[in-house]
């Protein structure tokens, strides 16, 4: 029996899901919560979490895993040396230090391009270029790229979902010519379609964890796209809202929509486009004020049919990305009512208002009209919040078929292997996708 493992690295923890070829049921589900938020930003912590997840999978299932794919938080990036060792601290998805290089980037990138955001991968790379440690760097990788490297051993490979905010052209499937003007003195990743089998597991990893020697590691994706894949949404006009630590909107559209002024970008998804944006509001703000138990009990006291008069813009710190793209946008959390239930009502209402504003903006920019919204993330279980959101969105709001992004990543691995029809991986053979004429161990190959 062939099984497929999807691994999700989100903002609050790592998860793994194992599915079979029918994808009709989950064979195993494992978790590794990030209880120490300070330690959770280090690559050594990520590595430990990855291996702990694999160890939690029952032995008999591990021996049947045919392919593995990993998703990571979008635009969480790091620099590594020629051996793959991180040479400095990673920059996380919401790190806005790239704002210092935006003026230079605007002088080169096309107007309103996706990279023209303080949190884009490319802005982070340009900011990292001035670090004293940059001279030691050989590769620039996304979180999912580096974690996959730990399994397959090849540096410098990414997927076009993660690489979008690095400036990769997902229509032409190449880096744009204008990027050459930036004179980036470092190896940018070779980019594959998400789910593409890269190569087999490193033998020592297969032996250590009792995995198949022919188990394939596939190109990954981002956490929010993985959540979309898990949701069950398939038709233009269907959307997925991920209510995790942050608020992420994805709308399936026949039209590609891009506008950095509003933090809007589109990912390629087959013949359609997954257009949307990510806001820094979300569950992390709620947990600043309430425990999980309080969120559950107080939500039951709220009358979701009545609108709260409180008008907040809930943020942990200054700065948002979508639907307002302003790194200096201040949080708005006043006035503060005496009753906790009124505060929670105001917060839930305000986040729902931001969500509705986001979808309205996507449609205004040319995306398909929203017909149904699936919900992923921890907030999907809050019935009161769902009712409030439906009142604002004016379309059916339903729970995702599967709410774990790891399930969507497992689907990606399964479909990637099946799509290959047994043709194998891209390493070790001439590949039109990578443009490689011959391979070396680190993919710094001669290219066509």
């Amino acid at each position: 029996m062939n099984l497929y493992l999807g691994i999700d690295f989100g903002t609050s923890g790592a998860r793994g899901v194992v599915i079979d070829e029918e994808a009709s049921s989950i064979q195993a589900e494992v978790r590794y919560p990030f209880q120490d938020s300070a330690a959770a930003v280090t690559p050594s912590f990520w590595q430990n979490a990855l291996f702990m997840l694999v160890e939690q999978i029952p032995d008999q299932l591990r021996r049947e895993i045919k392919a593995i794919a990993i998703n990571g938080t979008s635009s969480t990036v790091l620099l590594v040396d020629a051996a793959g060792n991180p040479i400095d601290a990673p920059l996380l998805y919401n790190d806005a230090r790239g704002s210092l290089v935006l003026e230079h980037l605007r002088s080169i990138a096309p107007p309103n391009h996706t990279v023209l955001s303080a949190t884009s991968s490319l802005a982070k790379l340009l900011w990292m270029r001035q670090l004293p440690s940059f001279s030691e760097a050989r590769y620039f990788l996304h979180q999912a790229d580096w974690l996959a490297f730990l399994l397959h051993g090849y540096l410098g490979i990414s997927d076009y979902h993660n690489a979008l905010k690095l400036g990769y052209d997902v229509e032409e499937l190449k880096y744009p010519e204008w990027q050459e003007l930036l004179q980036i003195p470092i190896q940018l990743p070779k980019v594959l379609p998400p789910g593409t089998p890269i190569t087999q597991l490193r033998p020592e990893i297969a032996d250590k964890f009792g995995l198949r020697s022919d188990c394939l590691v596939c190109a990954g994706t981002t956490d929010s796209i993985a959540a979309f894949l898990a949701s069950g949404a398939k038709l233009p006009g269907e959307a997925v809202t991920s209510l995790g630590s942050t608020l992420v909107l994805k709308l399936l559209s026949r039209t590609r929509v891009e506008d950095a002024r509003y933090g809007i970008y589109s990912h390629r998804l087959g013949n359609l486009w997954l257009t949307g944006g990510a806001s820094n509001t979300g569950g992390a703000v709620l947990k600043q004020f309430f425990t999980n138990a309080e969120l559950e009990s107080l939500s039951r006291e709220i009358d979701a049919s009545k609108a709260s008069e409180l008008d907040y813009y809930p943020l942990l710190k200054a700065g948002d990305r979508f639907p307002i793209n302003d790194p200096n946008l201040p949080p708005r959390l006043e006035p503060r009512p005496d009753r906790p239930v009124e505060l929670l009502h105001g917060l839930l209402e305000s986040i729902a208002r931001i969500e509705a504003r986001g979808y309205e903006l996507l449609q205004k920019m040319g995306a398909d009209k929203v017909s149904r919204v699936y919900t992923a993330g921890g907030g999907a279980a809050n019935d009161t919040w769902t009712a409030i959101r439906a009142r604002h969105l004016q379309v059916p709001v339903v729970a995702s078929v599967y709410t774990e992004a790891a399930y969507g990543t497992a689907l990606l691995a399964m479909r990637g292997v099946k799509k290959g029809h047994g043709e194998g991986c891209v390493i070790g053979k001439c590949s039109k996708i990578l443009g490689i004429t011959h391979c070396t161990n680190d993919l710094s190959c001669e290219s066509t």
Side-chain angles (χ1 to χ4, degrees):
M1 179 171 64
N2 289 333
L3 300 179
Y4 302 88
L5 170 60
I7 296 174
D8 163 45
F9 270 74
T11 54
S12 60
R15 299 168 180 84
V17 165
V18 178
I19 63 172
D20 59 21
E21 290 191 317
E22 302 301 321
S24 55
S25 64
I26 293 175
Q27 302 294 311
E29 187 171 355
V30 292
R31 297 173 180 269
Y32 190 90
F34 296 167
Q35 295 176 344
D36 184 346
S37 57
V41 304
T42 64
S44 60
F45 184 95
W46 298 345
Q47 178 173 334
N48 184 60
L50 172 64
F51 293 158
M52 288 293 290
L53 279 177
V54 175
E55 282 187 337
Q56 289 181 52
I57 299 169
D59 293 349
Q60 67 272 22
L61 296 182
R62 271 187 258 165
R63 289 192 291 268
E64 303 296 335
I65 294 174
K66 173 64 178 175
I68 302 171
I70 301 175
N71 77 64
T73 49
S74 178
S75 292
T76 292
V77 297
L78 69 165
L79 297 167
V80 302
D81 62 20
N85 301 309
I87 58 111
D88 216 313
L91 296 189
L92 301 189
Y93 66 97
N94 59 350
D95 193 303
R97 277 176 276 190
S99 60
L100 299 176
V101 301
L102 277 183
E103 184 176 349
H104 173 55
L105 192 51
R106 285 193 187 100
S107 69
I108 294 173
N112 303 324
H113 195 281
T114 305
V115 299
L116 297 176
S117 165
T119 59
S120 76
S121 300
L122 187 57
K124 290 185 174 85
L125 171 55
L126 297 184
W127 182 86
M128 294 168 106
R129 190 161 59 177
Q130 51 81 41
L131 293 171
S133 59
F134 191 82
S135 60
E136 304 171 38
R138 177 75 179 276
Y139 295 98
F140 177 79
L141 300 175
H142 303 88
Q143 182 185 38
D145 307 339
W146 186 74
L147 289 166
F149 151 72
L150 296 178
L151 299 181
H152 60 59
Y154 287 87
L155 282 165
I157 308 175
S158 189
D159 62 90
Y160 62 56
H161 288 161
N162 273 293
L164 178 74
K165 294 180 185 178
L166 186 55
Y168 187 79
D169 188 330
V170 294
E171 282 194 282
E172 299 296 328
L173 298 180
K174 64 179 183 179
Y175 286 105
E177 293 181 2
W178 58 261
Q179 254 188 11
E180 296 175 6
L181 300 174
L182 293 171
Q183 298 181 326
I184 298 171
I186 196 171
Q187 180 80 33
L188 294 182
K190 307 286 185 179
V191 180
L192 298 170
T196 302
I198 297 171
T199 192
Q200 294 174 351
L201 282 173
R202 293 162 52 197
E204 60 268 33
I205 294 294
D207 291 343
K208 179 178 180 179
F209 296 104
L211 293 158
R212 289 166 54 160
S213 60
D214 65 345
C215 178
L216 295 167
V217 182
C218 301
T221 184
T222 65
D223 55 348
S224 60
I225 292 183
F228 186 94
L229 295 173
S231 70
K234 298 176 181 178
L235 302 174
E238 293 186 329
V240 173
T241 295
S242 294
L243 293 173
S245 299
T246 59
L247 173 72
V248 183
L249 276 53
K250 300 289 185 187
L251 171 60
L252 201 56
S253 174
R254 287 164 290 196
T255 305
R256 183 183 185 185
V257 178
E258 304 266 347
D259 199 320
R261 293 176 299 172
Y262 306 106
I264 295 172
Y265 53 91
S266 290
H267 283 283
R268 186 173 186 155
L269 201 66
N271 295 322
L272 298 172
W273 294 97
L274 199 51
T275 184
S279 171
N280 291 335
T281 193
V285 184
L286 299 179
K287 290 186 178 181
Q288 186 180 33
F289 297 99
F290 305 102
T291 65
N292 287 336
E294 288 170 337
L295 285 170
E296 185 175 342
S297 62
L298 291 173
S299 292
R300 288 197 293 265
E301 298 181 31
I302 295 171
D303 183 350
S305 67
K306 295 182 179 179
S308 168
E309 295 181 358
L310 297 169
D311 183 16
Y312 296 147
Y313 203 105
L315 297 170
L316 289 178
K317 60 182 181 179
D320 202 8
R321 300 170 284 165
F322 168 86
I324 300 173
N325 189 12
D326 179 357
N328 301 310
L329 183 72
R332 190 168 68 246
L333 293 165
E334 300 290 342
R336 196 74 57 82
D338 294 330
R339 298 180 63 226
V341 66
E342 292 180 10
L343 173 61
L344 178 58
H345 192 179
L347 291 170
L348 296 180
E349 191 90 32
S350 298
I351 296 172
R353 194 178 297 116
I354 293 169
E355 179 187 5
R357 181 175 177 177
Y359 282 122
E360 288 168 3
L361 183 58
L362 294 177
Q363 292 166 101
K364 182 180 178 181
M365 301 298 292
D368 281 61
K369 182 177 176 60
V370 177
S371 60
R372 178 185 296 262
V373 175
Y374 293 82
T375 310
N382 190 318
D383 293 337
T384 301
W385 201 1
T386 298
I388 292 171
R389 293 170 52 233
R391 172 161 47 80
H392 281 277
L393 294 170
Q394 295 295 297
V395 297
V397 176
V398 298
S400 293
V401 176
Y402 291 96
T403 59
E404 291 291 353
Y407 177 89
T409 310
L411 282 179
L412 192 68
M414 180 190 72
R415 292 168 182 169
V417 170
K418 287 188 172 182
K419 189 176 180 181
H421 302 297
E423 294 174 5
C425 53
V426 299
I427 300 300
K429 61 176 68 178
C430 179
S431 168
K432 292 182 180 179
I433 296 174
L434 287 177
I436 295 172
T437 56
H438 69 268
C439 281
T440 61
N441 189 46
D442 65 358
L443 280 190
S444 54
C445 313
E446 293 182 4
S447 59
T448 54

